[in-house]
Amino acid sequence: MVRPKYKAVVIGGSAGSFSVVSKLLSQLREDFPLPVIICLHRLKHVRSGLVESIRLKSKLEVIEPNDKEQIMAGKVYLAPSNYHMFVEYDGTFSLSTEKPLNHSRPSIDHTLTSAAYVYRNKLIGIVLTGANKDGAKGMKDIADKKGLTIIQDPKTCEMDTMPKSVARLIKPDKVLSPDEISTFLNQLAI
Amino acid sequence: MDFKHYLQVLKDNTPYDFSNYSDNSIKRRLQKVILDNGLTIDELLDKTQTDKGFVERLVEDITVNTTELFRDPEIWPQFYEKLYPALKGKKTFNIWHAGCSSGMEVYSNMIILNELGLLEQARIFATDISLGMVRQCTNGSYRYEFNKKQLSDFEDIIKKSPIQGISKIDFNKYFDFDLENDRINIKDFLKKKVEIRQHDLVQEKVPFYNKFDVIFCRNVLIYFNANLQSKIYQMFHNQLYPKGSMILGNHESLTGFYKTKFSKNGPLYTKTNVFHFKYQ
Ligand SMILES: C[S@@+](CC[C@H](N)C(=O)[O-])C[C@H]1O[C@@H](n2cnc3c(N)ncnc32)[C@H](O)[C@@H]1O
């Protein structure tokens, strides 16, 4: 296997994204060589259960990380409910309960922006379906650091506000359907 | 501005040292303070060195004070499954809430202790770095609308998983509800029982002479870097009685060296004795 050009994948999603992420993780190769860092909005009253449901279909291990947990290749990390999740320069996560950003905790912008600073042009940022604009600013930071930006094709979204608000700030490198996203990621692993 | 440089100035001129907080978060918090106050760098440096009130407000603004009544409701039955047997036989025991914020965790715990018939034996201590939080903890007055969901979530949880047989709590025993003014006020008998003090965990000095059976420190150390975290674990270890327990936040865990000084006991970290280690 050639050394992949990228060091991490970071994904943000909101309304409608659960099934997209779930399917994506069922399609990713078992030997996927990068960490997959995911921040999804959750309904406030459903505090647990998300990670369990995502695990069901995933071939990769899915973790809700603890503070200061080391980020490892081939694992999937899901921002824990009620915490913002940041990537730190030493390759660990840090968590925070500071106030919601864009009405959300976890906030996609926080995770994406911190990852952009750490991984720079070695990062793939993906924004999926969602009914708000969280993630747009984070994707701009990824683009500014010359990372690769992908949005879910609005035509395939349950709610297209989120990917569209990314497209309003930057020109994404790729606009893909969910199946195309997994095909693209899997081919990085060859 | 180089935020590390600023933290050094703060450290040299005030009692506060944030230089070992996690980079990401302290940097973002500082940027926000500067923005919100509309300060130039020179004004910030000047105020930091001359204006005590400004510094206290700054400490309030750069720390994260989020808290809730019965935060993480599902975890409390688990705490008491482990704590109850250890506490119930004792004539007195000491509990310290380090980083108590506005006191919601402190009063939540006292309510459970009272329901379990353990409040009388308990001595409760609470500390926070922020003067504003110390005041709020002393006042014990919270917004009703903001907190009612937490109370009902907690009621749902204990109905399903009772805490040592407690499956229902009459909150009127503990709160005066003033719905007109959107307030929940903690009753005096609870407030009078807590010893509240301003204390900075970063300073090596400990706030109380006595040792502790339980130290709550949830969602506080996540803002510190790994080095500083280790120092605090060491301090807590020293301040705990043998077999005393430390309670961290839901997404915090001990790593490395300190794993051997505490044993994981459900959601608690219980102090292990070096002595036991040798002879096992
Ligand atoms: C997020 S709150 C957690 C409150 C409560 N323990 C809970 O889990 O709900 C963190 C608290 O830690 C306090 N804190 C931050 N740094 C501290 C320090 N160096 N010493 C003592 N308290 C500190 C903050 O002022 C804040 O009130």
Side-chain angles (χ1 to χ4, degrees):
Chain A
M1 196 167 79
V2 275
R3 258 182 96 73
K5 178 170 159 209
Y6 295 100
K7 286 196 173 154
V9 181
V10 61
I11 301 175
S14 190
S17 66
F18 170 75
S19 55
V20 178
V21 165
S22 200
K23 181 143 177 251
L24 174 69
L25 293 180
S26 72
Q27 292 171 337
L28 278 190
R29 303 158 53 104
E30 256 162 80
D31 58 351
F32 190 72
L34 308 178
V36 181
I37 301 166
I38 305 179
C39 181
L40 300 182
H41 293 163
R42 310 182 181 213
L43 297 172
K44 196 144 194 222
H45 57 276
V46 196
R47 295 186 108 180
S48 47
L50 182 65
V51 69
E52 288 80 2
S53 345
I54 285 186
R55 257 180 213 140
L56 285 179
K57 293 207 183 150
S58 176
K59 289 190 207 130
L60 304 170
E61 187 185 355
V62 184
I63 303 169
E64 281 186 302
N66 283 334
D67 182 55
K68 307 288 184 287
E69 190 160 330
Q70 195 75 40
I71 302 172
M72 314 244 272
K75 294 203 192 311
V76 177
Y77 297 95
L78 183 67
S81 129
N82 241 337
Y83 288 89
H84 294 306
M85 180 173 80
F86 300 93
V87 176
E88 294 281 342
Y89 288 97
D90 62 359
T92 61
F93 288 111
S94 67
L95 303 178
S96 157
T97 60
E98 69 200 75
K99 71 174 189 339
L101 182 67
N102 308 317
H103 307 288
S104 328
R105 192 171 60 216
S107 133
I108 298 169
D109 274 341
H110 275 332
T111 302
L112 264 49
T113 298
S114 66
Y117 277 83
V118 170
Y119 297 113
R120 305 175 72 85
N121 63 347
K122 304 255 171 16
L123 179 67
I124 301 171
I126 305 176
V127 163
L128 305 174
T129 163
N132 56 71
K133 60 177 183 44
D134 194 13
K137 187 167 163 306
M139 286 289 266
K140 176 160 190 318
D141 289 331
I142 295 174
D144 287 347
K145 304 281 177 213
K146 309 275 185 295
L148 185 83
T149 52
I150 302 177
I151 59 170
Q152 183 180 347
D153 186 344
K155 288 197 292 286
T156 67
C157 286
E158 195 175 309
M159 298 286 183
D160 61 10
T161 322
M162 224 159 79
K164 275 187 171 164
S165 52
V166 174
R168 223 167 284 130
L169 272 189
I170 57 164
K171 188 180 173 310
D173 296 308
K174 292 177 189 292
V175 178
L176 304 177
S177 74
D179 284 337
E180 288 167 340
I181 293 175
S182 34
T183 310
F184 172 77
L185 290 177
N186 273 332
Q187 134 222 316
L188 294 171
I190 300 172
Chain B
M1 179 190 60
D2 175 8
F3 77 103
K4 295 233 164 171
H5 169 69
Y6 175 72
L7 294 179
Q8 190 60 43
V9 173
L10 187 68
K11 180 178 170 183
D12 292 343
N13 292 278
T14 75
Y16 299 110
D17 176 8
F18 290 98
S19 58
N20 287 304
Y21 278 49
S22 294
D23 288 348
N24 237 317
S25 100
I26 196 75
K27 189 170 160 190
R28 213 178 34 256
R29 306 290 295 176
L30 264 177
Q31 279 164 346
K32 193 171 170 316
V33 171
I34 295 169
L35 215 68
D36 289 354
N37 284 283
L39 294 174
T40 66
I41 301 305
D42 285 339
E43 285 164 346
L44 176 72
L45 289 172
D46 182 54
K47 272 177 159 318
T48 302
Q49 294 171 56
T50 57
D51 185 344
K52 269 194 164 171
F54 172 80
V55 171
E56 293 301 337
R57 281 194 306 281
L58 178 101
V59 169
E60 258 171 72
D61 289 345
I62 59 183
T63 52
V64 174
N65 307 118
T66 334
T67 189
E68 287 169 7
L69 287 165
F70 303 101
R71 183 180 202 157
D72 306 316
E74 68 288 345
I75 202 81
W76 292 89
Q78 298 176 43
F79 288 162
Y80 273 91
E81 186 185 326
K82 302 292 178 191
L83 286 176
Y84 185 71
L87 297 181
K88 103 180 150 187
K90 296 212 153 116
K91 257 206 221 121
T92 68
F93 55 83
N94 300 334
I95 298 184
W96 175 18
H97 294 262
C100 63
S101 189
S102 61
M104 293 190 185
E105 175 188 273
V106 184
Y107 296 118
S108 303
N109 188 48
M110 287 172 85
I111 289 171
I112 295 173
L113 285 171
N114 191 57
E115 292 291 320
L116 294 172
L118 294 176
L119 188 60
E120 210 154 300
Q121 299 90 296
R123 295 170 64 208
I124 312 282
F125 302 84
T127 58
D128 201 281
I129 190 177
S130 148
L131 263 182
M133 287 303 127
V134 167
R135 273 188 215 114
Q136 287 195 33
C137 186
T138 311
N139 290 340
S141 174
Y142 310 115
R143 282 172 51 203
Y144 173 71
E145 277 303 319
F146 197 73
N147 290 292
K148 66 175 184 195
K149 174 131 195 326
Q150 276 305 116
L151 293 183
S152 69
D153 282 356
F154 183 64
E155 287 184 311
D156 291 347
I157 292 285
I158 60 172
K159 214 179 280 169
K160 274 182 268 160
S161 14
I163 303 181
Q164 298 298 314
I166 310 289
S167 58
K168 198 172 162 5
I169 293 179
D170 176 8
F171 289 125
N172 291 306
K173 287 200 282 191
Y174 306 105
F175 305 132
D176 290 315
F177 290 96
D178 175 3
L179 302 196
E180 227 161 80
N181 297 305
D182 189 28
R183 301 312 291 179
I184 297 178
N185 298 310
I186 305 287
K187 296 223 188 211
D188 278 347
F189 80 101
L190 292 181
K191 287 198 285 187
K192 275 200 303 228
K193 215 181 144 70
V194 197
E195 188 162 335
I196 306 170
R197 232 175 255 178
Q198 185 189 26
H199 171 257
D200 180 355
L201 287 166
V202 175
Q203 309 302 325
E204 312 268 309
K205 275 191 296 199
V206 295
F208 306 105
Y209 288 115
N210 50 279
K211 303 242 164 182
F212 295 93
D213 297 273
V214 185
I215 299 176
F216 280 82
C217 190
R218 299 162 73 212
N219 304 299
V220 178
L221 304 185
I222 54 177
Y223 302 101
F224 297 7
N225 69 22
N227 250 339
L228 180 55
Q229 283 182 350
S230 298
K231 284 197 186 146
I232 309 295
Y233 294 141
Q234 180 62 58
M235 195 250 275
F236 287 162
H237 193 270
N238 295 341
Q239 293 314 112
L240 282 170
Y241 285 123
K243 299 204 186 129
S245 289
M246 174 171 83
I247 298 183
L248 301 175
N250 262 8
H251 281 279
E252 297 169 66
S253 64
L254 286 184
T255 49
F257 176 61
Y258 285 89
K259 263 190 176 160
T260 64
K261 303 197 111 198
F262 294 90
S263 64
K264 194 161 163 44
N265 180 12
L268 318 182
Y269 288 95
T270 301
K271 178 169 168 170
T272 49
N273 272 325
V274 183
F275 180 82
H276 283 136
F277 251 78
K278 273 193 194 148
Y279 292 95
Q280 245 171 18

